[in-house]
Amino acid sequence: MNYTKKKHPMGFYQAYPIPSQEELDHFYREEYFQACKSDSYSHDYSEEEMQFILTQPVVADYVWKQARNKPVGKLIDIGCGEGFFARYFYDHGWEIECCDLSSFAIERHNPEILSFFTENNIFKELDEKITDNNKFDFINLSNVLEHVREPVILLERVKKIMGRDSMLRIKVPNDFSTLQQILLDNGSISSEYWFSPPGHLNFFTLTSLKEVLANCGFSIVKILADFPIEIYLLNKFSNYVVDKSKGAEAHNARVVMERYLMDHGTDKYVDFMSASSEVGLGRTIIVFAEVL
């Protein structure tokens, strides 16, 4: 299928035409995890990679505790993938639930929490939670909004399972960013390489994500970025888009740098990544939000 980009009224880009839900369900159940078509997933991880992966729940737990006078609560991880995020919170005393279209990844990496996992379309899962008036303290949407057909409707559903003190965590790629435009303008890259439907259907910057959240009735608690790996594209000797063989080394450098920052304390990491987000740097954007 040939896709083009189209700007949503709230400012983010979408792939057009939007695939049917049946086509997407098939893609994720049969291809996404099993064939390792996503760079986010692997069959095995080294100790260094695991420390990198666990930075995300460690930081999320830190932000939660800074914002809420409540050490543990009830978490739902929507689109939980391999289950590392949910497993971290489970190991730290939280009541958890998690769901995804496929159990393949969680079965491989975190089978210990399969009893808390539901294989389901996330919209159907949310509808069931809403019908049961099920509320959660912490809702995680990590690399989910970019994949779904209707991200605004998803956020509206999520809001219905949140209480007054609940917190929503969203992580999305930082796409159509200012840095990416600079890379295009100076010839470092020749195309919008991040535009990759049907794997990604929605493309957010911090500005557009904030607009979406405001329109959906959320207020921002904290905004973070992650390591801006795309800075390597400014150097022809480390440009992993032009020379894909350089991608592993760029990623390894990111792993080392994030570990370096975390070794100085989670608070220092959060300060650094908060400042990075303010100037639009970071391969991904992480937003913590609450209901207005």
Side-chain angles (χ1 to χ4, degrees):
M1 186 181 296
N2 292 322
Y3 293 93
T4 58
K5 67 176 186 286
K6 190 174 183 179
K7 202 161 194 178
H8 189 275
M10 292 186 192
F12 64 95
Y13 283 104
Q14 287 187 296
Y16 184 83
I18 299 173
S20 69
Q21 190 59 57
E22 291 74 19
E23 289 170 329
L24 284 182
D25 287 352
H26 179 270
F27 175 73
Y28 288 110
R29 282 201 178 101
E30 306 300 328
E31 300 181 45
Y32 190 70
F33 297 113
Q34 289 86 332
C36 286
K37 286 194 172 182
S38 167
D39 292 337
S40 302
Y41 296 97
S42 178
H43 288 306
D44 297 289
Y45 295 108
S46 66
E47 182 181 347
E48 292 77 15
E49 286 279 352
M50 279 307 308
Q51 290 173 335
F52 173 74
I53 289 167
L54 291 177
T55 294
Q56 297 295 316
V58 169
V59 169
D61 190 32
Y62 173 87
V63 173
W64 165 266
K65 287 173 178 172
Q66 290 292 304
R68 299 287 186 267
N69 186 26
K70 186 178 180 183
V72 297
K74 188 176 179 182
L75 166 84
I76 184 167
D77 193 353
I78 301 169
C80 62
E82 295 160 316
F84 289 113
F85 192 96
R87 174 65 185 273
Y88 176 89
F89 279 84
Y90 174 72
D91 287 344
H92 287 78
W94 284 64
E95 180 181 349
I96 68 163
E97 294 185 32
C98 47
C99 66
D100 213 318
L101 274 172
S102 171
S103 63
F104 179 86
I106 197 169
E107 284 175 0
R108 181 176 181 86
H109 291 285
N110 287 288
E112 300 85 354
I113 61 169
L114 273 171
S115 59
F116 309 108
F117 173 81
T118 304
E119 185 172 291
N120 200 0
N121 173 283
I122 60 176
F123 284 90
K124 292 178 182 177
E125 185 71 10
L126 281 168
D127 283 343
E128 292 172 12
K129 303 299 183 194
I130 293 166
T131 298
D132 294 339
N133 196 30
N134 207 338
K135 303 289 185 181
F136 295 87
D137 299 297
F138 203 162
I139 297 91
N140 187 48
L141 285 175
S142 185
N143 297 115
V144 172
L145 284 188
E146 67 269 26
H147 295 282
V148 299
R149 298 179 72 247
E150 299 168 317
V152 174
I153 292 176
L154 177 60
L155 289 172
E156 289 171 348
R157 300 262 179 92
V158 165
K159 192 176 173 183
K160 293 179 180 179
I161 62 168
M162 296 177 68
R164 181 179 297 276
D165 293 324
S166 300
M167 187 179 293
L168 168 63
R169 176 184 181 269
I170 297 171
K171 179 184 176 187
V172 292
N174 183 18
D175 284 333
F176 291 100
S177 67
T178 302
L179 178 57
Q180 288 173 341
Q181 188 59 53
I182 289 171
L183 293 166
L184 285 167
D185 291 344
N186 70 15
S188 295
I189 56 176
S190 58
S191 65
E192 297 169 346
Y193 71 89
W194 56 89
F195 186 74
S196 56
H200 289 186
L201 299 176
N202 309 297
F203 305 87
F204 300 92
T205 62
L206 178 56
T207 299
S208 62
L209 183 57
K210 287 168 72 173
E211 183 174 350
V212 170
L213 288 169
N215 275 278
C216 291
F218 291 94
S219 62
I220 304 296
V221 175
K222 194 78 175 175
I223 302 171
L224 304 175
D226 68 354
F227 182 75
I229 193 171
E230 287 170 314
I231 63 174
Y232 292 116
L233 303 182
L234 292 166
N235 184 334
K236 66 180 179 180
F237 299 107
S238 59
N239 190 319
Y240 57 83
V241 170
V242 172
D243 182 353
K244 296 191 184 305
S245 70
K246 300 185 185 301
E249 285 302 316
H251 173 68
N252 290 340
R254 168 171 60 180
V255 170
V256 170
M257 285 303 302
E258 290 227 352
R259 173 66 186 276
Y260 172 82
L261 291 167
M262 284 295 288
D263 282 348
H264 284 73
T266 306
D267 56 338
K268 299 294 192 301
Y269 178 95
V270 167
D271 289 345
F272 184 93
M273 293 307 184
S274 178
S276 295
S277 72
E278 290 176 7
V279 295
L281 285 179
R283 184 64 196 96
T284 64
I285 305 161
I286 301 102
V287 174
F288 298 84
E290 59 191 5
V291 178
L292 279 170

